[in-house]
Amino acid sequence: QQQVKQSPQSLIVQKGGISIINCAYENTAFDYFPWYQQFPGKGPALLIAIRPDVSEKKEGRFTISFNKSAKQFSLHIMDSQPGDSATYFCAASKHGAQKLVFGQGTRLTINP
Amino acid sequence: NAGVTQTPKFQVLKTGQSMTLQCAQDMNHNSMYWYRQDPGMGLRLIYYSASEGTTDKGEVPNGYNVSRLNKREFSLRLESAAPSQTSVYFCASMSHLEQPQHFGDGTRLSIL
């Protein structure tokens, strides 16, 4: 039962462009939405996270946009750089819950 | 700070062999997790432990057992390995009810 659906599976963007990855969730009880970044041979690491009381959160070149009514959230990477090439996972959890539900992942390649 | 340490990093097994994957964290976290990562499937939770002395099944527990040896260590055992268990296994830990989860660098397991 896939509760968080992520798209696209892979994405190629030119250096300096905007990378956009989308996620949709089903469970309206979810109230924590993180994005994890994973480089080859490494474990995922938290990149940025949002709670549903705000519609957008920005940290440097990375922005999460959140649409509660549509049950969707997305990651925008501005001025994408080759060093951003990695696999990105969205996830969701409920307040007080021990578990995260992950999306399928997006392999992002930034061409120089 | 080591964070979350997984051993071994790589392993090749034959069908039917048994093996224990080790995980240790030095962040004094209460919760620990085991995931498997497969292409196009994201990260799927196998088992987790909310605190020392407790373990619970995740999404894909069949064929696996776990032991929360103490607060620091959480091991994953394959009693009779099958080719379908070929995957990359990640251990993670989290402070009680406080995201994010912190991941190790994974164990790459191939079963022939």
Side-chain angles (χ1 to χ4, degrees), chain A residues 35-72:
Chain A
W35 285 90
Y36 281 77
Q37 181 187 53
Q38 182 185 29
F39 293 108
K42 298 294 186 182
L46 179 69
L47 179 64
I48 187 173
I50 196 169
R51 296 197 182 271
D53 52 342
V54 296
S55 61
E56 185 175 281
K57 183 174 181 180
K58 184 175 181 179
E59 290 184 1
R61 296 184 294 108
F62 299 92
T63 300
I64 299 180
S65 296
F66 182 78
N67 185 330
K68 189 173 182 178
S69 61
K71 293 188 286 185
Q72 295 175 347

Side-chain angles (χ1 to χ4, degrees), chain A residues 1-2 9 32 34 36 38-46 51 87 89 93-94 96-105, chain B residues 31 33 35 37-43 45 48-50 57-59 90 94 96-97 99-106 108:
Chain A
Q1 67 254 20
Q2 187 63 45
Q9 272 198 311
Y32 174 74
Y36 281 77
Q38 182 185 29
F39 293 108
K42 298 294 186 182
L46 179 69
R51 296 197 182 271
T87 299
F89 293 97
S93 76
K94 296 183 286 188
Q98 292 289 324
K99 298 183 288 185
L100 281 170
V101 179
F102 284 89
Q104 298 95 322
Chain B
S31 304
Y33 305 81
Y35 293 89
Q37 182 178 5
D38 303 291
M41 303 292 287
L43 290 155
L45 183 65
Y48 69 103
S49 170
K57 295 179 180 179
E59 182 184 354
F90 287 99
M94 185 178 82
H96 184 59
L97 298 181
Q99 298 283 359
Q101 294 184 14
H102 299 260
F103 285 79
D105 285 338
R108 283 144 187 85

Side-chain angles (χ1 to χ4, degrees), chain B residues 43-57:
Chain B
L43 290 155
R44 292 182 294 168
L45 183 65
I46 304 171
Y47 271 94
Y48 69 103
S49 170
S51 61
E52 186 178 354
T54 68
T55 60
D56 286 285
K57 295 179 180 179

Side-chain angles (χ1 to χ4, degrees), chain B residues 29-31 49-55 68-72:
Chain B
H29 285 169
N30 287 303
S31 304
S49 170
S51 61
E52 186 178 354
T54 68
T55 60
R68 183 73 183 268
L69 304 170
N70 47 56
K71 191 171 186 179
R72 289 186 65 249

Side-chain angles (χ1 to χ4, degrees), chain A residues 12-44:
Chain A
I12 299 173
V13 175
Q14 293 299 117
K15 179 183 175 182
I18 302 173
S19 304
I20 302 174
I21 304 171
N22 300 299
C23 283
Y25 63 98
E26 300 168 2
N27 190 339
T28 55
F30 287 152
D31 65 353
Y32 174 74
F33 302 91
W35 285 90
Y36 281 77
Q37 181 187 53
Q38 182 185 29
F39 293 108
K42 298 294 186 182

Side-chain angles (χ1 to χ4, degrees), chain B:
Chain B
N1 289 338
V4 179
T5 303
Q6 293 184 235
T7 55
K9 295 189 186 304
F10 302 93
Q11 186 70 48
V12 179
L13 293 178
K14 294 181 180 179
T15 298
Q17 287 185 317
S18 61
M19 163 142 201
T20 299
L21 280 59
Q22 306 287 352
C23 175
Q25 53 93 7
D26 63 1
M27 295 173 283
N28 201 36
H29 285 169
N30 287 303
S31 304
M32 297 186 73
Y33 305 81
W34 277 106
Y35 293 89
R36 60 179 290 172
Q37 182 178 5
D38 303 291
M41 303 292 287
L43 290 155
R44 292 182 294 168
L45 183 65
I46 304 171
Y47 271 94
Y48 69 103
S49 170
S51 61
E52 186 178 354
T54 68
T55 60
D56 286 285
K57 295 179 180 179
E59 182 184 354
V60 288
N62 291 344
Y64 305 95
N65 286 301
V66 290
S67 295
R68 183 73 183 268
L69 304 170
N70 47 56
K71 191 171 186 179
R72 289 186 65 249
E73 299 173 289
F74 189 37
S75 63
L76 178 71
R77 182 162 178 84
L78 287 70
E79 289 290 353
S80 179
S84 61
Q85 294 177 305
T86 292
S87 188
V88 182
Y89 291 86
F90 287 99
C91 176
S93 70
M94 185 178 82
S95 181
H96 184 59
L97 298 181
E98 288 287 333
Q99 298 283 359
Q101 294 184 14
H102 299 260
F103 285 79
D105 285 338
T107 294
R108 283 144 187 85
L109 183 61
S110 293
I111 299 162
L112 307 177

